[in-house]
């Protein structure tokens, strides 16, 4: 199962990517929003996107998720943020989950698994 | 406040001011009102504005027509509540005071001037009653607290930003611990590597906090990352290049990159043997792209690592995250890294 991981902190990106890869996902890493969206347009069968909300460069994670849904309406969204759930209520897209940072790798993997099997 | 305090002292416990004070106030010399540092105005019992001082006119940004029945309760152009909703003059605190005879202390109201500028003011209102308990009028002493409000807002934002950064740093440390653990072959090995990485991270943080929000110099950053390796080893590290100011994200990332390279050089590379050297040189081109070469020589023969370790991954990923390129080579003569990173020009709105 293929997913896009958008995270601009190199260390966190590395770690999360490795954990998700070990869990059996094919992970496409991106460090900026435009890059993540380009990957989404280029690759088929992307089931989910793990999106860091607070990115150093525009567009931010909220915007990336909205644009991603225009490209692929079915893609599941997992937001990661340090800021808590407050803006999620107003900025998050439907059918998405929020993963608060710092997150354990187990949580990241279980969130990705849940997102990849939406029927459950 | 002094005028009100004085009047309140006269009123005793009732809270309502005796009406003779109102008559005194209403007849005060204009020069006496204008000398007050706070804005003051008086309304008659029916709400007409009968007196105001210069400071009030200044804060309102307009001069009300005195005693005009069309202009009641306040001399301002428009009023808003602190939540931003419109506040009609006949519902303002002064109107309530005239209706109920109540006094108000420390009420925050937003005044809009005719030019559209908005101020947050702090109002203190007292009503005056005559012997029969009828309300004859009221006084409002108010001051501009916009600056304080701005400072409070700024402080809230800063606390929020700090909170975000702390959590982000924790997330990085957490990830770094997980990764270091995977590479380590003993607890002691984990402990020393992890500690060194944390120290490198905090050095980067310290450098950034000294260098304000604009970033840090590449030269200072290099010198600082070499410090823990001692003078003997540092002397064999040569660096050469123009002064370059790095934006905070780039400075932070390069600190970690240099730390990984230096650690590797000291443990397995040229700095682990006599006569080995590290040469770091850089330049910036017209497009403001930084090209940096890290070249090791005179060390033990280098072989390509069997598996990609944390350091190598960190270097590649970090530079990719900055939108740069990293060419890391394990040549027999020594490790070399050529990296290019776009230095965002502040004037063009880089982060």
């Amino acid at each position: 199962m293929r997913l896009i991981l958008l995270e601009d902190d190199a260390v966190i990106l590395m770690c999360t990517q490795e954990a998700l890869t070990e869990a059996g996902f094919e992970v496409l890493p991106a460090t900026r929003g435009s890059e993540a969206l380009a990957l989404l347009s280029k690759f088929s069968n992307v089931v989910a996107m793990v999106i860091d909300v607070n990115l150093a460069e525009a567009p931010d994670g909220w915007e990336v998720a909205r644009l991603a849904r225009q490209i692929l309406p079915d893609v599941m969204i997992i937001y990661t943020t340090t800021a808590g759930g407050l803006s999620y209520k107003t900025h998050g897209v439907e059918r998405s989950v929020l993963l608060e940072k710092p997150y354990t790798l187990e949580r990241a993997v279980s969130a990705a698994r849940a997102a990849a099997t939406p029927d459950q | 406040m002094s005028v009100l305090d004085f009047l309140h002292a006269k009123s005793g416990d009732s809270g309502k001011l005796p009406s003779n004070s109102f008559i005194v106030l209403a007849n005060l010399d204009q020069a006496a009102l204008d000398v007050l540092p706070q804005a003051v105005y008086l309304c008659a019992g029916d709400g007409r504005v009968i007196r105001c001082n210069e400071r009030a006119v200044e804060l309102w940004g307009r001069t009300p027509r005195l005693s005009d029945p069309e202009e009641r309760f306040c001399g301002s152009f428009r009023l808003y509540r602190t939540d931003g909703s419109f506040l009609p003059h006949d519902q303002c605190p002064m109107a309530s005071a005239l209706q109920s005879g109540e006094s108000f202390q420390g009420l925050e109201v937003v005044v809009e001037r005719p030019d559209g500028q908005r101020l947050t003011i702090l109002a203190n209102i007292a009503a005056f009653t005559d012997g029969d308990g009828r309300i004859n009028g009221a006084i409002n002493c108010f001051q501009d607290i916009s600056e304080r409000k701005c400072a409070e807002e700024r402080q809230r934002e800063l606390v929020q930003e700090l909170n975000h950064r702390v959590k982000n740093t924790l997330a990085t440390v957490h990830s770094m611990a997980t990764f270091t653990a995977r590479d380590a072959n003993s607890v002691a090995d984990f402990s020393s590597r992890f500690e060194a990485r944390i120290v490198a991270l905090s050095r980067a943080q310290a450098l950034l906090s000294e260098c304000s929000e604009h970033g840090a110099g590449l030269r200072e950053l290099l010198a600082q990352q070499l410090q823990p390796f001692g003078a003997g080893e540092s002397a064999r590290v040569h660096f050469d290049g123009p002064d370059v100011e790095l934006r905070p994200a780039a400075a932070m990332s390069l600190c970690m990159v240099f730390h990984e390279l230096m650690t590797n050089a000291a443990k397995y590379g040229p700095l682990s043997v006599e006569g080995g050297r590290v040469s770091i040189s850089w330049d910036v081109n017209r497009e403001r792209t930084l090209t940096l070469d890290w070249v090791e020589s005179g060390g033990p023969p280098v072989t390509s690592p069997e598996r990609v370790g944390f350091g190598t991954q960190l270097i590649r990923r970090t530079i990719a995250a900055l939108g740069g390129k990293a060419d890391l080579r394990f040549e027999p003569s020594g490790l070399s890294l050529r990296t290019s990173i776009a230095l965002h020009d502040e004037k063009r709105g880089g982060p």
Side-chain angles (χ1 to χ4, degrees):
Chain A
M1 276 174 292
R2 188 174 273 167
L3 54 84
I4 292 170
L5 172 59
L6 171 58
E7 167 62 65
D8 65 353
D9 183 296
V11 178
I12 299 172
L13 176 68
M14 266 161 61
C15 239
T16 313
Q17 179 175 0
E18 189 154 310
L20 291 171
T21 308
E22 273 176 14
F25 290 95
E26 184 195 341
V27 183
L28 306 172
T31 55
R32 48 194 80 197
S34 55
E35 196 187 335
L37 292 168
L39 286 171
L40 186 65
S41 306
K42 191 173 159 193
F43 288 88
S44 56
N45 304 327
V46 174
V47 293
M49 291 179 85
V50 181
I51 298 175
D52 178 22
V53 170
N54 314 96
L55 297 164
E57 285 178 39
D60 67 9
W62 306 124
E63 181 69 12
V64 172
R66 279 192 289 272
L67 294 169
R69 280 284 167 82
Q70 287 174 19
I71 299 170
L72 188 66
D74 287 339
V75 71
M76 279 298 299
I77 304 291
I78 301 165
Y79 295 106
T80 64
T81 177
T82 58
L86 228 61
S87 347
Y88 175 58
K89 284 182 189 136
T90 47
H91 291 72
V93 295
E94 280 179 32
R95 287 174 293 120
S96 64
V97 290
L98 185 79
L99 195 59
E100 205 167 326
K101 277 183 175 179
Y103 49 79
T104 62
L105 296 175
E106 290 79 42
R107 281 214 58 203
V109 167
S110 65
R113 283 207 176 112
T117 49
D119 299 330
Q120 286 175 2
Chain B
M1 211 89 84
S2 53
V3 178
L4 266 188
D5 286 345
F6 170 73
L7 290 169
H8 271 298
K10 290 229 149 198
S11 72
D13 292 336
S14 73
K16 289 174 187 169
L17 300 167
S19 64
N20 59 345
S21 307
F22 183 68
I23 295 161
V24 171
L25 270 179
N27 289 301
L28 259 184
D29 192 70
Q30 186 63 34
L33 283 180
D34 288 342
V35 83
L36 291 171
Q38 288 193 9
V40 176
Y41 72 96
L42 292 171
C43 282
D46 62 1
R48 284 173 299 123
V49 178
I50 53 169
R51 298 293 301 275
C52 67
N53 71 352
E54 268 179 8
R55 183 70 182 137
V57 167
E58 192 186 319
L59 293 186
W60 287 329
R62 67 186 291 275
T63 310
R65 292 181 304 274
L66 294 181
S67 301
D68 186 337
E70 294 294 303
E71 200 157 345
R72 297 198 299 153
F73 307 117
C74 184
S76 60
F77 175 61
R78 272 191 196 133
L79 291 172
Y80 297 87
R81 298 181 186 89
T82 46
D83 66 5
S85 62
F86 179 66
L87 178 63
H89 275 36
D90 61 5
Q91 292 172 26
C92 76
M94 173 58 102
S96 313
L98 287 171
Q99 202 180 19
S100 66
E102 265 182 277
S103 291
F104 298 102
Q105 299 277 328
L107 272 183
E108 288 184 12
V109 180
V110 176
V111 165
E112 187 179 61
R113 292 175 171 170
D115 65 5
Q117 197 196 342
R118 291 189 188 188
L119 305 176
T120 305
I121 59 115
L122 192 70
N124 293 286
I125 300 168
F128 300 87
T129 45
D130 66 14
D132 304 323
R134 273 195 305 262
I135 299 159
N136 302 15
I139 181 171
N140 186 347
C141 296
F142 61 104
Q143 55 182 317
D144 180 9
I145 57 161
S146 307
E147 238 171 71
R148 197 178 86 198
K149 290 304 252 185
C150 275
E152 280 171 10
E153 182 55 31
R154 174 100 182 112
Q155 191 180 19
R156 229 190 329 270
E157 283 170 10
L158 281 175
V159 168
Q160 217 172 0
E161 175 63 20
L162 184 69
N163 199 20
H164 165 67
R165 286 195 192 184
V166 167
K167 283 201 191 166
N168 232 7
T169 308
L170 282 175
T172 309
V173 169
H174 172 243
S175 290
M176 209 142 64
T178 314
F179 238 86
T180 309
R182 287 180 187 212
D183 270 4
N185 39 39
S186 69
V187 174
D189 183 36
F190 168 81
S191 166
S192 73
R193 284 181 197 225
F194 184 61
E195 199 181 304
R197 281 175 179 146
I198 297 291
V199 169
L201 198 66
S202 41
R203 280 175 174 272
Q205 190 72 52
L207 185 72
L208 280 179
S209 64
E210 279 167 24
C211 297
S212 80
E213 62 211 46
H214 303 300
L218 176 57
R219 193 177 290 276
E220 289 79 45
L221 188 145
L222 269 168
Q224 198 211 34
Q225 285 299 320
L226 297 188
Q227 220 180 310
F229 294 93
E233 285 172 344
S234 302
R236 293 193 276 148
V237 178
H238 181 255
F239 49 92
D240 179 39
D243 281 336
V244 177
E245 192 85 338
L246 298 165
R247 63 202 150 102
M252 198 75 182
S253 298
L254 285 179
C255 265
M256 295 310 293
V257 168
F258 294 141
H259 168 75
E260 294 302 325
L261 288 169
M262 266 307 283
T263 308
N264 186 70
K267 270 193 181 164
Y268 317 106
L271 304 184
S272 68
V273 294
E274 296 248 338
R277 288 183 172 278
V278 177
S279 145
I280 309 161
S281 57
W282 66 90
D283 209 352
V284 179
N285 71 6
R286 261 188 216 170
E287 284 79 44
R288 307 262 315 137
T289 299
L290 167 76
T291 304
L292 182 139
D293 286 297
W294 175 290
V295 180
E296 300 182 356
S297 60
V302 171
T303 50
S304 248
E306 282 164 27
R307 65 189 196 96
V308 182
F310 176 89
T312 311
Q313 276 210 56
L314 182 102
I315 292 166
R316 291 203 173 120
R317 288 290 173 70
T318 301
I319 290 168
L322 293 172
K325 294 191 187 96
D327 184 10
L328 188 63
R329 291 178 186 215
F330 300 92
E331 282 159 10
S333 57
L335 179 150
S336 76
L337 169 73
R338 162 161 278 218
T339 176
S340 50
I341 298 164
L343 301 166
H344 287 238
D345 197 333
E346 291 291 328
K347 285 168 215 145
R348 274 179 284 166

